[in-house]
Amino acid sequence: MKIVNQNEGAKIAYEVDGQKITFDDDLTINLAKRQQDWAVHIDVCRDADGGLVLGAAAGRAYVAQLDIPAREYIQTQMSRARSAPEAMAEDVEPPQAIPLDMEQVTLTLWAI
């Protein structure tokens, strides 16, 4: 995971466990489930009561931001016995998603 310190000061505590990140032992986000066919940006903020919330609209102060890269796919050929005329046409399986590479996720931390 790429870590960016947006400004000076103390940052929120976080733990990474596989493809999940937990902030302040309170809010856990499964990053693999959030990954889409496009890049995903998630704002983690504190609300007026000090609780952690997702989204800047619900929050009062930034705590962190997560940038998850777009899902990537691989294309594989099917292997099966074919007669000579069929061998001319390639059989292609549907693309398969590559699991999220946590090294490509960016975590931006804001002072709390």
Side-chain angles (χ1 to χ4, degrees), residues 89-112:
E90 287 187 56
D91 289 331
V92 178
E93 289 183 18
Q96 295 180 357
I98 298 172
L100 174 62
D101 178 1
M102 288 295 286
E103 294 299 317
Q104 300 304 312
V105 174
T106 301
L107 170 62
T108 302
L109 297 168
W110 294 76
I112 54 173

Side-chain angles (χ1 to χ4, degrees), residues 2-21:
K2 302 171 198 169
I3 309 296
V4 175
N5 289 303
Q6 187 64 24
N7 50 15
E8 295 294 320
K11 308 296 193 273
I12 191 167
Y14 69 91
E15 287 182 38
V16 177
D17 182 15
Q19 296 178 329
K20 295 179 182 178
I21 186 166

Side-chain angles (χ1 to χ4, degrees), residues 14-30:
Y14 69 91
E15 287 182 38
V16 177
D17 182 15
Q19 296 178 329
K20 295 179 182 178
I21 186 166
T22 301
F23 292 100
D24 207 17
D25 199 27
D26 181 29
L27 176 69
T28 300
I29 304 169
N30 184 334

Side-chain angles (χ1 to χ4, degrees), residues 31-87:
L31 302 176
K33 280 190 164 188
R34 299 287 181 136
Q35 189 178 35
Q36 300 291 325
D37 289 338
W38 53 87
V40 174
H41 177 85
I42 300 171
D43 293 317
V44 179
C45 299
R46 287 214 185 268
D47 64 12
D49 297 324
L52 293 175
V53 295
L54 294 181
R60 183 175 183 146
Y62 277 101
V63 170
Q65 295 171 308
L66 291 157
D67 289 296
I68 304 168
R71 185 177 293 128
E72 294 182 0
Y73 294 88
I74 56 171
Q75 190 77 43
T76 59
Q77 290 184 351
M78 294 172 63
S79 61
R80 62 183 175 109
R82 298 180 297 212
S83 63
E86 291 176 323

